[in-house]
Amino acid sequence: MLSKTIEDVLNTQIKIEAESSQIYLAMACWAEVKGLEGVSNFMYAQSDEEREHMLKLVKFVNERGGHAKISQLAEPSVDFISFKAMFEKLLEHEIFVSQSINELVHIALQEKDYATHNFLQWYVAEQIEEEAVARTILDKINLIGDDKGGLYLFDRDIANITVTSASNTGLQ
Ligand code: OFO
């Protein structure tokens, strides 16, 4: 059974994951209308992943005797000055989510809720992976600079920068 404190913080995380999904969906749209097909596919996949993260939390809260809250979401930015700026936003957002997960882990320990603490380890691993992917992409973007040919190749090759979910690393 979840304590009220844990239920509330998990519900806040549900909202954060849902907002992450919306943020990446907006990025997918921006890239798609700019003709960056590879980048938009990457962002659509990211958006789907975030929805899965949200659902995993929803199920956990409901199964542990709480009630998952589905809340109103903040409207994401829909315009970016460049695709580099967009990926910088992505990294910034993932760092914010990692901090939120760290705080959750801390609260779970304080509350002596070891089941939730254990459940959250999947998210800890996932955040390490997602931050690493965002940094890899930004390194590549910095290499390209303003080179249009480089951008073309980047858009083609981003499909190979896979987002390895923690579920594939045996941590689930
Ligand atoms: Fe939900 O993993 Fe990124 O934010």
Side-chain angles (χ1 to χ4, degrees):
M1 183 82 187
L2 298 176
S3 71
K4 180 80 180 97
T5 307
I6 295 288
E7 182 179 355
D8 287 350
V9 290
L10 289 177
N11 272 325
T12 302
Q13 192 62 32
I14 286 172
K15 183 167 189 258
I16 290 174
E17 300 292 343
E19 284 176 341
S20 302
S21 181
Q22 293 294 88
I23 289 169
Y24 299 150
L25 189 57
M27 290 179 174
C29 291
W30 183 86
E32 193 161 44
V33 298
K34 290 264 183 281
L36 295 164
E37 200 191 335
V39 172
S40 76
N41 286 339
F42 175 87
M43 288 300 182
Y44 279 123
Q46 279 288 126
S47 175
D48 286 348
E49 278 228 358
E50 297 301 345
R51 182 175 156 79
E52 279 174 28
H53 299 172
M54 177 200 69
L55 282 174
K56 207 173 160 71
L57 278 155
V58 164
K59 298 270 181 203
F60 182 77
V61 169
N62 290 339
E63 278 164 12
R64 300 273 307 147
H67 190 159
K69 196 169 150 216
I70 307 305
S71 13
Q72 186 172 11
L73 306 177
E75 189 179 327
S77 309
V78 292
D79 207 8
F80 306 92
I81 28 173
S82 65
F83 84 110
K84 180 181 174 181
M86 187 177 77
F87 278 103
E88 279 167 350
K89 268 264 168 261
L90 180 139
L91 175 60
E92 199 181 289
H93 184 72
E94 287 304 329
I95 291 171
F96 159 75
V97 175
S98 298
Q99 285 164 349
S100 174
I101 297 289
N102 277 350
E103 186 55 27
L104 271 180
V105 171
H106 176 70
I107 296 168
L109 274 184
Q110 268 182 339
E111 292 278 308
K112 297 196 167 80
D113 184 340
Y114 300 112
T116 298
H117 182 267
N118 188 44
F119 168 77
L120 289 171
Q121 296 314 303
W122 184 88
Y123 287 85
V124 172
E126 185 72 12
Q127 284 311 121
I128 293 171
E129 190 60 47
E130 293 202 340
E131 276 191 40
V133 168
R135 288 196 176 91
T136 303
I137 290 173
L138 277 172
D139 285 347
K140 289 193 192 302
I141 293 173
N142 285 329
L143 280 176
I144 298 167
D146 292 329
D147 180 30
K148 290 264 185 269
L151 173 57
Y152 173 81
L153 292 177
F154 171 82
D155 187 56
R156 193 194 64 184
D157 292 343
I158 192 171
N160 299 326
I161 306 174
T162 45
V163 184
T164 317
S165 162
S167 58
N168 299 329
T169 62
L171 276 156
Q172 196 177 23

